[in-house]
Amino acid sequence: METVSITMVEDVAVLTIDNPPVNMGNATLRRDLYDALGAAGPDVVGVVIIGAGRHFYAGSDISEFDGPLIDPQLPAVIEVIESLPVPVVAAISGLALGGGLELALGCDGRIGATSARLGFPEVTLGILPGAGGTVRAARLLGVPTAIDLVASARQVDADEALELGLLDHVVPAEDLLARAVDLARSLAGKSRLRDRSVPHANPEQVEEAVARHARKARPNVLEAVGMVRRSAEVDAGLALSEERAIFERLRVSEEAANLRYLFFAKRAAAKALRGKVAPRPVRTVGIAGAGTMGAALARACSGAGYRVVLFDTNPAALARVAGAMPGLTTTETVGGLAGADLVVDAVFEDMDVKRDLFAEVERHVAPGAVLATNTSYLDINEMSRSLEYPRRFGGLHFFNPPDRNPLVELIRAETTDDVTAATLADVVKALGKTGIPAGVGDGFVANRVYADYRTQAEFLVEEGATPEQVDAAMVQLGLAIGPFAVADMSGLDIAWARRKRIAPTRDPLQRYVDIPDRLCEAGRLGRKTGAGWYGYPDGARRGLPDPDAVRIIEEARATKGIAARSIDDGEIRARILASMLCAAVQLMESGVAQRASDIDVALTEGFAFPRATGGPLRLLSRWEEDDVIAALTAAYRSCRVTFALAEPATRGELPQAVRAVLRQVAPHEMFERAASR
Ligand code: 3HC
């Protein structure tokens, strides 16, 4: 057997799972476990299942979920455990997730090391537990707790698992095996969860749990919640087969396939970031700038266990942050950052300000310290040129709000060396963020794509759509809010300042919509001023269509002699997606983005583009080729300069570069369809 070894501890058989890196359940492991369980002879009084390495069993191998599942499937393995005449104990250290937790619930006893973490992540993959998770959790924990665990996908630590009853005992790691063997011996026969009745719960508690998780939930979460409830009403055998049927249906759904695509896309980006060299250890992070961004970064770093030193010349700003974060070290001089292993800037977005800051930081920090700028748009290569040691410098681009937004772009300047890049990647991981690699280019990856999204949205309004119509069309795609509501929320002034800055170098042939300038000139800077694309009367949180904004839009159209026409939602979405596609192709061609899937990760993680779609590129890769061509044609016609690369579409051709990008992200069946044409 490749992945399971059997050893005897006196009369107890110990099955050790060893399937690196995370003991995930693939066809080989299931076969090996099945065979090993079957090999338990008549002289065995109990069985222990334990993981070699850090984790017990991190769940099923989801790369197998795209095709038909190979026998024996997990429910069959669990059936063998349940049909053995002797007790089986799961000895859990590290992770027992998804199928791993289901395997443990199929055992007669569960003992955890203090490192144990248990959970059902299935709903985040567009499915529900498919090997008895809903059925056995309901019988062990009661319906409300089972709903909470299954629908939230949260991981519980050993202490909470003990409290809930998911674990029978928690012991130090070094005692885990011995105590599991003792438990296997001391259990008086089988204790199958499927034979237990569901603990009584009062109906209000159940309804409360349902209400908590059903709000805004994806359809698969609702099915998971429903399945937990249903499993309490019918016998376990029927519930198990119903759960499996739903699992199978969801597993092959488009949404689940997209979520798996994103899972592996994130891992591919992380792998590219890691590189091959070891990172430098980082214990203390210095943050320069105590504004909103700096404060949130300080929170994120300190939450991840770093010592944080916050620098600002403004004592009032420091005091504000320190007041909310006890234990934070602050300094009013750059010298106070001397002990930092990494210094990140969160100062004003201005080349000279940042250059001066890093020049001074370099004079104080140790030679091995790494420096990173959090610039959104400035040229990092140019910034690095004024440094004495540019090799240890790179970009860490966080997204607002950085303590909650998961995306970070890691930007390598021309001079950034491998150790610096590996160190920054290590920090991104420690912060629990999703990192993607990016090269130097205007707006890097996510903002660059978003810029063309917004530009196209403005074209549409200039031609006759209303802001609320564009927003609604995008919300219908699954976004939480549309581009104009976002602009109002973040404030129109930053983009205004940027437009002024780049005005001298703008291509005069490029279409330029001056409506946002007109809004800003009228003092409509967004929600904070009570007006922007929308009006916010009496401090309203949601914008309302505003006659003054309508007038400004109409004036702008009139000045350019544009007669407003009616534009349908399909055209809005097609043009916006095609514009994002053009931006993505340019990013790939310039090398600023390394993989098309990184762009989908950037948009879903950083800008809340609906994960269920897999991201804008994955979404388009599922379209018929003719529809992509039509969308690109419409984008091209909206501006022949900005979307020049879409020109072949006007002749009915899909540009080669576009095809190459879409192929990278397309589901396999799409290749087959394209190949058969
Ligand atoms: N399927 C396939 N590959 C997986 C995997 C899985 N469930 N879990 C991890 N991997 C792979 C990763 O792709 C990565 O491969 P790579 O090195 O080639 O890129 C490698 O294992 C290590 O993973 P990470 O880089 O993510 O390692 P970390 O230590 O950062 O994280 C982890 C480990 C927390 C286990 C994380 O990988 C994770 O969250 N995995 C998913 C766990 C999960 O969702 N399990 C449930 C699956 S669904 C299920 O069980 C259905 C059941 O109900 C029938």
Side-chain angles (χ1 to χ4, degrees):
M1 270 175 260
E2 284 172 51
T3 59
V4 177
S5 58
I6 310 175
T7 46
M8 293 302 295
V9 177
E10 295 168 18
D11 45 6
V12 173
V14 176
L15 312 189
T16 305
I17 299 173
D18 191 4
N19 194 24
V22 294
N23 278 354
M24 62 208 173
N26 54 11
T28 312
L29 174 57
R30 290 195 305 273
R31 163 60 58 198
D32 288 350
L33 258 181
Y34 189 90
D35 291 347
L37 287 160
D43 43 345
V44 163
V45 302
V47 175
V48 167
I49 304 178
I50 193 165
R54 273 193 322 147
H55 303 305
F56 174 71
Y57 189 127
S60 305
D61 180 343
I62 55 175
S63 66
E64 291 184 349
F65 283 12
D66 285 339
L69 295 181
I70 299 165
D71 288 331
Q73 298 181 26
L74 191 55
V77 177
I78 294 172
E79 244 172 61
V80 179
I81 294 175
E82 289 186 326
S83 61
L84 279 185
V86 294
V88 182
V89 168
I92 300 170
S93 58
L95 294 171
L97 298 180
L101 180 50
E102 292 177 299
L103 181 76
L105 291 172
C107 294
D108 303 279
R110 283 153 294 280
I111 183 163
T114 45
S115 63
R117 294 183 70 84
L118 296 81
F120 291 114
E122 285 89 342
V123 290
T124 64
L125 294 164
I127 54 175
L128 86 181
T134 64
V135 182
R136 294 189 181 86
R139 281 156 178 74
L140 180 63
L141 311 169
V143 170
T145 306
I147 286 179
D148 174 52
L149 287 187
V150 168
S152 71
R154 73 190 180 90
Q155 290 178 14
V156 297
D157 63 16
D159 286 342
E160 188 181 356
L162 184 66
E163 203 176 302
L164 292 175
L166 261 182
L167 290 174
D168 304 314
H169 306 279
V170 174
V171 300
E174 59 274 20
D175 299 342
L176 182 64
L177 178 59
R179 293 284 301 277
V181 168
D182 290 347
L183 182 62
R185 270 204 201 106
S186 64
L187 284 176
K190 297 294 280 180
S191 173
R192 305 190 317 171
L193 293 182
R194 62 178 292 166
D195 298 335
R196 292 201 198 167
S197 53
V198 178
H200 175 75
N202 75 45
E204 292 93 81
Q205 275 179 315
V206 175
E207 291 311 325
E208 212 179 284
V210 173
R212 203 169 35 248
H213 294 290
R215 215 174 64 88
K216 289 196 189 164
R218 302 292 311 160
N220 71 306
V221 181
L222 297 179
E223 297 219 51
V225 169
M227 190 59 232
V228 175
R229 296 187 80 169
R230 166 94 180 138
S231 99
E233 290 158 9
V234 298
D235 81 72
L238 179 59
L240 287 170
S241 63
E242 288 186 4
E243 182 201 69
R244 190 68 182 172
I246 301 174
F247 166 82
E248 274 300 318
R249 171 164 51 77
L250 292 174
R251 177 177 75 80
V252 296
S253 69
E254 195 172 300
E255 177 163 338
N258 289 341
L259 292 166
R260 288 195 290 277
Y261 155 77
L262 285 176
F263 176 87
F264 290 113
K266 284 193 236 172
R267 261 80 197 163
K271 216 176 202 176
L273 284 181
R274 272 199 302 275
K276 291 194 175 62
V277 302
R280 285 208 185 94
V282 172
R283 285 182 202 88
T284 304
V285 179
I287 293 166
T292 316
M293 174 59 86
L297 271 181
R299 265 197 306 279
C301 291
S302 126
Y306 290 112
R307 277 196 300 261
V308 176
V309 185
L310 184 63
F311 157 69
D312 202 298
T313 49
N314 177 353
L318 284 176
R320 241 190 335 266
V321 183
M325 275 183 64
L328 178 75
T329 308
T330 60
T331 173
E332 289 173 39
T333 61
V334 175
L337 297 174
D341 307 301
L342 164 70
V343 176
V344 185
D345 98 73
V347 296
F348 189 62
E349 186 76 344
D350 177 275
M351 182 62 84
D352 291 336
V353 172
K354 291 191 192 263
R355 270 187 175 154
D356 291 350
L357 169 81
F358 283 117
E360 209 183 334
V361 168
E362 273 204 309
R363 283 199 284 279
H364 295 281
V365 293
V370 167
L371 314 182
T373 177
N374 183 25
T375 181
S376 304
Y377 287 101
L378 298 175
D379 183 338
I380 293 186
N381 285 334
E382 192 185 331
M383 211 181 290
S384 74
R385 277 180 211 124
S386 55
L387 290 172
E388 198 171 339
Y389 303 106
R391 293 157 60 102
R392 57 160 161 179
F393 175 74
L396 269 190
H397 181 213
F398 291 86
F399 288 75
N400 262 322
D403 46 345
R404 279 188 280 134
N405 190 311
L407 181 67
V408 182
E409 289 172 338
L410 200 163
I411 302 122
R412 278 187 90 136
E414 289 157 353
T415 49
T416 309
D417 67 15
D418 289 348
V419 179
T420 300
T423 307
L424 294 176
D426 200 41
V427 170
V428 168
K429 175 153 193 188
L431 291 174
K433 302 283 184 196
T434 303
I436 61 154
V440 177
D442 192 34
F444 309 118
V445 174
N447 279 344
R448 169 74 186 76
V449 177
Y450 195 76
D452 277 6
Y453 167 15
R454 213 178 37 206
T455 299
Q456 186 57 262
E458 289 169 5
F459 289 171
L460 287 157
V461 167
E462 193 177 59
E463 288 168 39
T466 61
E468 54 274 24
Q469 194 198 348
V470 174
D471 279 356
M474 295 313 286
V475 167
Q476 222 177 30
L477 201 64
L479 280 93
I481 56 174
F484 295 109
V486 170
D488 273 3
M489 218 167 68
S490 25
L492 272 52
D493 41 342
I494 298 173
W496 190 27
R498 183 162 176 268
R499 284 196 301 277
K500 287 191 221 166
R501 200 170 58 234
I502 60 175
T505 54
R506 185 180 305 120
D507 182 344
L509 295 176
Q510 202 155 19
R511 176 170 168 189
Y512 184 80
V513 177
D514 64 355
I515 300 168
D517 294 344
R518 289 170 182 256
L519 292 170
C520 290
E521 282 154 16
R524 304 177 67 99
L525 303 181
R527 200 160 81 184
K528 62 187 170 191
T529 58
W533 289 95
Y534 296 97
Y536 298 83
D538 309 321
R541 282 186 59 78
R542 279 176 64 102
L544 299 172
D546 181 337
D548 288 338
V550 172
R551 189 179 41 74
I552 290 172
I553 293 168
E554 282 170 354
E555 279 169 9
R557 285 182 196 138
T559 312
K560 286 197 185 174
I562 296 172
R565 67 177 175 94
S566 103
I567 299 179
D568 67 34
D569 291 357
E571 178 178 345
I572 291 174
R573 281 191 289 270
R575 276 173 55 179
I576 285 182
L577 288 168
S579 306
M580 297 169 95
L581 175 58
C582 289
V585 169
Q586 284 172 335
L587 284 170
M588 292 295 292
E589 286 188 323
S590 63
V592 171
Q594 286 180 11
R595 267 166 304 276
S597 62
D598 289 355
I599 299 170
D600 278 338
V601 170
L603 270 292
T604 48
E605 296 289 296
F607 285 102
F609 198 91
R611 289 191 174 102
T613 65
L617 302 181
R618 171 80 170 190
L619 174 65
L620 283 167
S621 79
R622 288 185 180 277
W623 282 21
E624 293 296 335
E625 190 166 312
D626 287 349
D627 293 337
V628 178
I629 290 174
L632 286 169
T633 302
Y636 177 76
R637 295 205 168 117
S638 73
C639 178
R640 287 157 202 251
V641 178
T642 305
F643 304 114
L645 69 84
E647 190 275 333
T650 61
R651 288 178 271 113
E653 286 168 27
L654 190 66
Q656 278 310 321
V658 172
R659 188 184 300 280
V661 163
L662 293 180
R663 279 193 81 110
Q664 274 195 31
V665 299
H668 295 300
E669 71 263 21
M670 297 285 146
F671 290 134
E672 284 153 23
R673 208 173 63 192
S676 68
R677 267 207 295 265

